[in-house]
């Protein structure tokens, strides 16, 4: 029996034998595509190729792509564990043709691989085709042994694929296998009419042959393409002839490990639901973290957090109360390390991230339980029976409470949950998320340039060596249209044949400057590089410019040099952090511009002052050593052999640029740098902070930025010196003296307050009255905050021994109340929470609390005396009940 790993390798090797280039899986974080939350199909990394925006050195490709469907349009999160097939993380096997072969070869390869390489029985295989695709029907009949009755025509919903509302699209054909009547859903079980496991979809062949315009009209593509996808877990379940994907050797070892952790037996039926959720989710967590996603409260990090917390909750269902997910990391690594060696390299780090998040969630879950109990208590106090949908959603969104847990808590208290309100809140959040996922302008710009100026060659970048150059205007775009000239005030996008302007990328800001023509110029504000390597300059015209005109390109040299200093500094910084903190440090993002640099990296705790100083000193030491900075182009394989650091998830071509700082640092980088570290002058860290769980950020300056930073610090010190009437060098001593003086005065204030409180107590105790044999103390007191007011209430209650204390105090423009009652009095019917609600209402406020202690606030200070005067009446009413 073939293993899942062997099936993956057989697939890739088979297509290599058919002239396909094996392409490694791209990151789960889509490269420069904000329209997509996670990579969710094999074709994602070839999107620009299919759109004609990018050219590759091959026209046939094959890959096994890591995919996650747990957010955005494609979201299988809530389905995982309930079915035999759905996953948050899975691998998509695929073969692709970029204008090379088409339907005939795609069908031939699919049939041959399934029947010959995988040994699937021909008489169990079916094919579905688009209802009007007679060509596909004829090819299935000609090239395979599938009889007419096993070729099923389906409509657009099932068998027509499109990349979006417009663009490449076409019919598709799916291969299915009949697994037998035991998997049937009933007597009407039939392809196209049900979605049960009898007729299992194995492989989808997409025939990209049309281009759909904004009016919905489709025209044939000049070079039709092929995009196919087959889930590795699914084909493995078929080949290994097991009930579900979870029973394959790709996932089953995880189920065994979970059995050991919870000391329970896994069953394939509903009893195994929680096992399947945990097994699926740990795979997703390992690969998302490995690709640079960290738990957070927004975007991809939020989805990761939800996946991990969902698994933890189902661990609790299995009786696992302590952190356990991190203990499954080695099992995932062992299963996947041969195909994805990065999981083994990062195994300790992956376990650390997961364990820290588990520990954090246990704290959050306890906080959520307290909040849930408070919500229930307040509703019961008000005589209400339904937990509002918004509150249920807050528990879900902030504390990770699934709706069913909130329903359980409600049921125990005899309450219900407003499900419709919860769903509305959920939809509102989804709508916000949809609004946040915006099409980036570069996509629109790329498609517009391709349409209007696609014949222009790629721009040559000369900026590594030059800050000034000459070129010819190849195209001018204004308002999405190609124009031959532009005039004063026009905002334009300019394409030239060669340019020294660096386009934004790799964390480096784009160059600015001027493009000067004979009768005008363009003030360049931004520069972008499109997927087909055309460089576009965005700016505003002064005078007049024309297409075909010779121009001089002038980069702002001061900004560029400062940007280069800061970029080289990030390379020194990364290496210094690894030396000081350890090899687990990896770049998680950066931004360099003329004024400053920002560097995000993986680390779990804040850096100490000593660590920050060591890092800063090490970078400055390398600056003082005047190390040579060299950039060389080489193959990706050579760079990896050299040990050059790469930013994981970044998209690299076959030829890469390696920036080497002698024997100290080697990184893959396309940015601009100084020639020698001495050109940085000085390096100064200005801040270090957290930007997420396990993610830190350092901001720093170099060269002129350090001079400006120090000048600002000196100015601040000079101002403080004037205010304190103290020389700069004596400021620390003077501040220390002031702090000691302040501490002494605070002690005096505390003593005075204590003395005054004693006087208040003596005066106030004289106001004790009796209501139906219950001692009642009602008084307006002096208190600067609620804590003081509560403390006074405690003192009075203790002095009474038995009774009720009602205190009111004016604090600023508001009034606050505290009610305290001894336990023997609450047994007679007094309830502090209900009592204070009635009192506060008179002053236009509200509040509540427990029977023994409650607090409230009011808006109308003038009503304080009236409110306190009513206290005795309210207490009497409670005692009568």
């Amino acid at each position: 029996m073939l293993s899942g790993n062997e099936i993956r390798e057989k697939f890739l090797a088979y297509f290599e034998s058919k002239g396909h280039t094996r392409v490694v899986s791209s990151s789960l974080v889509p490269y420069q595509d904000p329209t997509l939350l996670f990579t969710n199909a094999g074709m994602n990394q070839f999107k620009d190729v299919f759109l004609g925006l990018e050219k590759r050195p091959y026209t046939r490709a094959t890959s096994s792509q890591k995919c996650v469907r747990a957010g955005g349009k494609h979201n299988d999160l809530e389905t995982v564990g309930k079915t035999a097939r759905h996953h948050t993380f899975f691998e998509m096997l695929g073969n692709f043709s970029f204008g090379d072969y088409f339907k005939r070869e795609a069908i031939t390869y699919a049939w041959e691989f399934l029947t010959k390489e995988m040994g699937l029985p021909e008489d169990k295989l079916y094919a579905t085709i688009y209802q009007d695709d007679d060509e596909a029907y004829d090819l299935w009949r000609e090239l395979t042994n599938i009889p007419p009755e096993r070729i099923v025509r389906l409509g657009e919903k099932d068998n027509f694929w499109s990349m979006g509302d417009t663009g490449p699209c076409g019919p598709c054909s799916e291969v299915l296998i009949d697994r037998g009547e035991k998997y049937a859903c009933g007597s009407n079980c039939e392809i196209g009419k049900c979605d049960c496991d009898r007729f299992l979809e194995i492989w989808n062949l997409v025939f990209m042959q049309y281009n759909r315009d904004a009016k919905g009209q489709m025209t044939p593509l000049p070079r039709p393409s092929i995009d196919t996808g087959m889930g590795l877990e699914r084909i493995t379940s078929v080949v290994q002839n097991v009930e579900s994907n979870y029973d394959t050797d790709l996932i089953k070892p995880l189920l065994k490990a979970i059995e050991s952790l919870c000391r329970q037996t896994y069953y394939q039926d509903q009893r195994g639901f929680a096992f399947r959720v945990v097994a699926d989710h740990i795979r997703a967590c390992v690969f998302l973290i490995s690709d640079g996603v960290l738990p957070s409260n927004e975007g991809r990090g939020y989805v990761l957090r939800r996946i991990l917390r969902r698994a933890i909750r189902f661990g609790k269902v299995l009786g696992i109360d302590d952190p356990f997910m991190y203990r499954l990391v080695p099992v995932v690594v062992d299963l996947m390390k041969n195909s994805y060696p990065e999981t083994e390299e990062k195994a300790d780090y992956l376990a650390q991230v997961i364990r820290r998040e588990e520990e954090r969630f246990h704290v959050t879950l306890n906080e959520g339980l307290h909040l849930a109990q408070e919500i229930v208590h307040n509703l019961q106090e008000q005589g209400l029976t339904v937990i509002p949908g918004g509150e249920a959603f807050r528990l879900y969104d902030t504390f990770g409470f699934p709706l069913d847990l909130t329903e359980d808590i409600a049921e125990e208290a005899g309450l219900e949950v407003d499900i419709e309100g919860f769903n509305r809140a959920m939809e509102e959040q989804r709508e916000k998320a949809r609004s946040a996922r915006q099409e980036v302008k570069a996509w629109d710009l790329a498609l517009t340039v391709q349409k209007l100026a696609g014949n222009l060659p790629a721009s040559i970048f000369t900026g590594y060596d030059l800050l000034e150059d000459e070129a010819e205007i190849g195209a001018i775009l204004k308002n999405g249209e190609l124009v031959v000239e532009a005039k004063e005030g026009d905002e334009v996008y300019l394409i030239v044949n060669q340019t020294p302007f660096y386009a934004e990328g790799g964390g480096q800001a784009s160059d600015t400057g001027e493009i000067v023509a004979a009768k005008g110029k363009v003030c360049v504000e931004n520069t972008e590089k499109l997927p087909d390597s055309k460089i576009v300059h965005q700016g505003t015209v002064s005078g007049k410019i024309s297409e075909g005109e010779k121009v001089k390109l002038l980069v702002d040299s001061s900004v560029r040099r400062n940007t280069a200093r800061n970029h080289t500094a990030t390379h020194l910084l990364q290496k210094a952090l690894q030396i000081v903190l350890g090899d687990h440090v990896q770049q998680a993002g950066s931004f360099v511009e003329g004024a400053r640099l920002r560097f995000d990296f993986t680390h779990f705790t804040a850096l100490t002052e000593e660590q920050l100083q060591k890092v800063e000193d090490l970078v400055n030491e390398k600056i003082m050593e005047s190390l040579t900075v060299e950039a060389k182009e080489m193959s990706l394989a050579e760079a990896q052999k050299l040990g050059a650091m790469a930013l994981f998830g970044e998209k690299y071509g076959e030829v890469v640029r390696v920036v080497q700082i002698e024997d100290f640092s080697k990184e893959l980088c396309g940015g601009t740098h100084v020639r020698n570290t001495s050109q940085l002058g000085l390096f100064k860290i200005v801040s270090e902070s957290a930007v997420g769980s396990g993610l830190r950020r350092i901001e720093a300056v170099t060269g002129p930025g350090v001079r400006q930073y120090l000048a600002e610090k000196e100015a601040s010190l000079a101002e403080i010196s004037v205010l304190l009437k103290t020389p700069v060098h004596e400021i620390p001593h003077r501040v220390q003296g002031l702090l000691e003086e302040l501490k002494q005065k605070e002690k005096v204030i505390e003593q005075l307050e204590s003395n005054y409180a004693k006087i208040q107590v003596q005066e106030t105790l004289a106001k004790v009255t009796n209501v139906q044999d219950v001692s009642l103390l009602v008084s307006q007191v002096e208190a600067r905050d609620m804590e003081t007011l509560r403390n006074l209430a405690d003192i009075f209650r203790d002095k009474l021994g038995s009774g009720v204390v009602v205190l009111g105090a004016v604090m600023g423009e508001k009034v606050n109340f505290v009610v305290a009652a001894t336990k023997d009095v609450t047994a007679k019917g007094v309830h502090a929470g209900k009592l204070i609600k009635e009192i506060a209402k008179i002053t236009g406020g509200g509040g509540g609390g427990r029977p023994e202690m409650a607090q409230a606030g009011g808006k109308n200070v003038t009503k304080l005396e009236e409110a306190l005067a009513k206290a005795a009446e309210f207490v009497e009413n409670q005692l009568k009940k």
Side-chain angles (χ1 to χ4, degrees):
M1 183 178 71
L2 291 171
S3 69
N5 287 327
E6 287 170 337
I7 292 170
R8 183 197 297 111
E9 179 54 35
K10 265 185 168 290
F11 181 90
L12 297 172
Y14 171 80
F15 281 100
E16 276 186 312
S17 75
K18 303 299 181 184
H20 293 63
T21 297
R22 186 186 296 219
V23 181
V24 298
S25 171
S26 64
S27 169
L28 285 169
V29 178
Y31 178 74
Q32 292 188 347
D33 186 355
T35 67
L36 203 57
L37 195 63
F38 297 115
T39 299
N40 57 27
M43 63 79 60
N44 291 160
Q45 69 166 313
F46 303 114
K47 183 175 179 180
D48 286 349
V49 184
F50 284 123
L51 288 170
L53 299 174
E54 178 188 356
K55 291 214 172 2
R56 299 274 179 106
Y58 46 80
T59 57
R60 299 181 175 202
T62 185
S63 68
S64 181
Q65 174 64 50
K66 298 175 292 185
C67 298
V68 162
R69 291 185 179 175
K73 181 181 175 183
H74 300 285
N75 186 353
D76 290 338
L77 183 59
E78 300 300 330
T79 316
V80 167
K82 296 176 183 175
T83 72
R85 312 291 163 209
H86 288 93
H87 301 286
T88 52
F89 171 85
F90 62 97
E91 290 181 76
M92 182 77 84
L93 303 172
N95 58 289
F96 309 91
S97 163
F98 312 119
D100 186 327
Y101 62 82
F102 198 44
K103 293 181 186 179
R104 173 174 289 274
E105 293 85 348
I107 290 171
T108 299
Y109 294 151
W111 181 256
E112 185 174 289
F113 181 77
L114 291 174
T115 58
K116 300 292 191 296
E117 299 293 321
M118 295 294 100
L120 299 187
E122 295 184 3
D123 62 342
K124 297 293 183 184
L125 296 177
Y126 286 70
T128 65
I129 59 172
Y130 180 55
Q131 57 194 12
D132 299 329
D133 195 354
D134 294 332
E135 181 187 6
Y137 177 86
D138 292 339
L139 287 169
W140 278 111
R141 290 290 296 117
E142 176 193 343
L143 301 170
T144 75
N145 296 327
I146 299 182
E149 63 271 16
R150 295 215 307 271
I151 303 174
V152 182
R153 294 178 185 263
L154 296 174
E156 186 168 343
K157 178 178 173 290
D158 295 297
N159 279 67
F160 197 91
W161 180 92
S162 58
M163 192 175 287
D165 294 333
T166 61
C169 59
C172 57
S173 181
E174 290 191 321
V175 183
L176 302 88
I177 188 167
D178 182 358
R179 305 194 76 205
E181 289 189 10
K182 73 171 183 175
Y183 293 98
C185 57
S187 57
N188 294 322
C189 184
E190 193 176 327
I191 293 173
K193 291 186 177 178
C194 67
D195 194 28
C196 71
D197 284 346
R198 174 176 179 175
F199 297 102
L200 189 66
E201 299 162 3
I202 303 174
W203 202 341
N204 190 19
L205 317 178
V206 177
F207 308 133
M208 241 180 273
Q209 64 185 99
Y210 300 111
N211 186 61
R212 180 185 277 157
D213 63 22
K215 295 178 182 177
Q217 294 179 329
M218 291 189 291
T219 53
L221 289 171
R223 298 175 69 217
S225 297
I226 291 291
D227 158 29
T228 84
M230 175 164 62
L232 173 62
E233 294 79 6
R234 186 171 293 199
I235 185 62
T236 302
S237 74
V238 171
V239 171
Q240 294 180 356
N241 194 28
V242 292
E243 293 283 323
S244 80
N245 296 359
Y246 293 93
D247 300 314
T248 68
D249 67 334
L250 292 168
I251 302 177
K252 195 169 184 178
L254 278 164
L255 296 173
K256 291 287 184 188
I258 297 164
E259 282 183 324
S260 298
L261 288 173
C262 69
R263 297 179 182 178
Q264 294 183 39
T265 303
Y266 169 70
Y267 294 93
Q268 293 175 322
D269 56 22
Q270 187 59 26
R271 289 172 292 175
F273 175 47
F275 285 84
R276 293 189 288 273
V277 170
V278 173
D280 170 89
H281 288 10
I282 186 59
R283 293 187 352 135
C285 291
V286 164
F287 278 94
L288 284 170
I289 296 167
S290 179
D291 280 2
V293 181
L294 289 169
S296 70
N297 287 327
E298 58 185 19
R300 298 181 178 102
Y302 176 67
V303 176
L304 169 59
R305 176 164 279 169
R306 279 194 63 204
I307 293 171
L308 183 49
R309 291 184 171 187
R310 188 169 187 262
I312 295 167
R313 292 199 309 267
F314 278 99
K316 284 184 174 292
V317 171
L318 294 172
I320 310 173
D321 290 322
D322 295 324
F324 72 98
M325 289 284 283
Y326 75 96
R327 295 169 66 183
L328 294 172
V329 171
V331 186
V332 178
V333 169
D334 192 53
L335 288 168
M336 304 300 249
K337 63 186 179 185
N338 290 335
S339 297
Y340 302 101
E342 67 271 14
T343 58
E344 186 172 32
E345 293 163 12
K346 300 178 181 180
D348 291 342
Y349 170 69
L350 296 170
Q352 271 187 299
V353 172
I354 290 171
R355 181 168 189 173
R356 284 175 66 87
E357 182 64 16
E358 285 190 89
E359 290 168 346
R360 177 176 296 188
F361 182 50
H362 280 284
V363 173
T364 305
L365 201 58
N366 288 332
E367 289 172 355
L369 282 168
H370 287 306
L371 175 62
Q373 288 160 1
E374 190 178 314
I375 291 169
V376 167
H377 180 75
N378 288 338
L379 288 171
Q380 289 173 330
E381 290 299 312
Q382 297 170 55
L384 302 175
T385 59
V386 179
I387 295 178
E391 293 283 23
F393 182 74
R394 181 156 71 105
L395 287 167
Y396 168 83
D397 193 44
T398 306
F399 299 99
F401 268 49
L403 182 58
D404 54 6
L405 178 55
T406 305
E407 286 180 303
D408 288 345
I409 293 170
E411 188 179 345
E412 288 168 13
L415 304 177
E416 296 177 354
V417 178
D418 173 14
I419 306 295
E420 287 186 14
F422 175 87
N423 291 334
R424 278 196 304 274
M426 176 74 85
E427 187 52 40
E428 283 172 17
Q429 191 206 51
R430 284 175 180 155
E431 188 55 46
K432 285 178 187 173
R434 280 192 285 267
S435 300
R437 287 197 302 274
Q438 299 174 356
E439 293 273 349
V440 73
K441 181 176 64 181
W443 285 104
D444 297 336
L445 182 61
L447 291 169
T448 304
V449 170
Q450 182 204 24
K451 179 182 174 184
L452 302 177
N455 59 323
L456 291 177
S459 308
I460 299 169
F461 176 61
T462 60
Y464 289 133
D465 303 306
L466 303 171
L467 292 179
E468 296 183 11
D469 205 351
E470 293 182 350
E472 182 179 302
I473 297 177
I476 304 170
L477 280 84
K478 185 179 80 170
N479 297 327
E481 299 292 335
L482 204 60
V483 296
V484 293
E485 68 173 27
K487 299 176 182 176
E488 184 79 29
D490 287 347
E491 186 175 309
V492 296
Y493 296 87
L494 223 60
I495 302 173
V496 296
N497 57 321
Q498 61 183 37
T499 177
F501 280 81
Y502 181 84
E504 182 172 347
Q508 179 174 326
S510 70
D511 281 332
T512 56
E514 293 182 339
I515 298 178
V516 182
K519 296 181 181 179
K521 67 179 181 179
V522 175
C523 179
V524 178
E525 298 147 12
N526 189 37
T527 312
E528 297 180 42
K529 186 175 183 179
L530 303 185
D532 63 354
S533 294
K534 291 184 182 69
I535 296 176
V536 183
H537 310 76
Q538 179 189 357
T540 306
V541 178
S542 297
K544 186 178 81 169
I545 60 168
S546 305
E547 182 186 329
E549 195 175 2
K550 297 283 185 185
V551 289
K552 193 165 188 178
L553 298 97
L554 309 171
V555 172
D556 186 321
S557 58
S558 174
V559 174
R560 163 69 88 81
R561 289 191 180 103
N562 286 336
T563 302
R565 288 185 179 100
N566 288 332
H567 203 151
T568 302
T570 63
H571 287 219
L572 294 172
L573 175 59
Q574 176 165 218
K575 188 62 180 178
L577 285 166
Q578 289 173 338
I579 290 170
V580 174
L581 302 178
D583 290 337
H584 66 277
V585 169
Q586 289 190 330
Q587 181 176 343
S590 68
F591 181 71
V592 291
E593 58 179 358
R596 66 191 175 97
L597 68 91
R598 185 185 75 217
F599 187 79
D600 296 344
F601 58 99
T602 52
H603 188 61
F604 295 103
T605 57
L607 274 70
T608 64
E609 288 297 324
E610 183 183 4
Q611 288 171 328
L612 282 170
Q613 195 59 57
K614 279 184 179 178
V615 169
E616 190 177 283
D617 288 347
L618 184 51
V619 172
N620 280 309
E621 182 184 310
K622 297 305 168 185
I623 291 171
M624 297 298 289
E625 287 177 10
S626 300
L627 303 179
T628 302
V629 181
E630 290 183 294
K632 296 177 182 176
E633 285 193 346
M634 60 186 73
S635 70
L636 182 59
E638 285 178 295
Q640 290 168 333
K641 190 175 179 182
L642 192 65
M645 281 191 288
L647 179 58
F648 198 81
E650 191 72 16
K651 190 176 179 182
Y652 297 107
E654 286 305 306
V655 177
V656 295
R657 186 168 178 264
V658 176
V659 174
Q660 182 166 352
I661 305 174
E662 292 194 11
D663 60 353
F664 186 70
S665 167
K666 291 188 283 285
E667 289 191 37
L668 270 61
C669 181
T672 61
H673 291 267
V674 298
R675 300 293 172 87
N676 189 286
T677 58
S678 62
Q679 292 173 267
L680 271 66
L682 275 174
F683 170 82
K684 179 66 186 170
I685 294 173
V686 297
S687 71
E688 190 273 343
S689 60
V691 287
S693 177
L695 199 61
R696 309 297 301 178
R697 171 173 291 172
I698 281 179
E699 297 195 50
V701 289
T702 63
V706 177
R707 289 202 304 272
Q708 183 181 342
Y709 176 79
L710 293 176
E712 289 170 358
K713 290 290 182 187
E714 285 178 355
S716 296
L717 279 172
E719 188 178 349
I720 293 168
S721 174
V722 171
L723 290 170
L724 296 177
K725 298 187 174 82
T726 305
V728 169
H729 68 278
E730 290 183 11
I731 286 175
H733 180 71
R734 174 72 172 131
V735 170
Q736 188 62 43
L738 287 172
L739 289 172
E740 286 296 327
E741 189 179 326
L742 186 62
K743 195 183 291 182
Q744 292 302 319
K745 287 182 177 178
E746 283 177 346
K747 285 181 180 177
V748 171
I749 291 169
E750 284 176 11
Q751 185 61 50
L752 288 171
E753 283 183 339
S754 175
N755 293 338
Y756 182 61
K758 287 175 184 176
I759 294 169
Q760 278 199 95
V761 169
Q762 290 168 4
E763 291 177 350
T764 307
L765 282 172
K767 300 176 183 178
V768 175
T769 60
N770 190 285
V771 178
Q772 292 190 19
D773 297 328
V774 170
S775 297
L776 173 64
L777 173 60
V778 181
S779 179
Q780 179 177 344
V781 295
E782 296 290 329
R784 60 175 174 173
D785 53 34
M786 280 301 296
E787 185 179 358
T788 305
L789 191 60
R790 283 194 299 269
N791 289 339
L792 280 171
D794 285 337
I795 291 169
F796 288 132
R797 182 171 55 183
D798 292 343
K799 291 282 185 184
L800 286 179
S802 171
V804 181
V805 177
V806 180
L807 301 181
V810 176
M811 297 179 193
E813 296 179 359
K814 293 181 180 179
V815 60
N816 285 304
F817 300 96
V818 170
V819 174
T822 55
K823 283 191 176 180
D824 62 313
V825 171
T826 61
K828 295 178 181 179
V830 173
H831 192 294
K834 293 177 181 177
L835 182 59
I836 207 166
K837 198 173 292 181
E838 295 294 328
I839 294 168
K841 194 186 294 182
I842 296 169
T843 61
R850 304 187 311 276
E852 299 89 3
M853 174 68 81
Q855 65 184 50
K859 301 171 186 173
N860 193 339
V861 176
T862 62
K863 295 276 190 178
L864 174 57
E865 284 187 25
E866 182 185 338
L868 291 174
K870 285 278 189 180
E873 180 186 330
F874 295 147
V875 170
E876 189 171 5
N877 290 339
Q878 286 191 348
L879 290 168
K880 284 178 181 177
K881 290 180 181 177

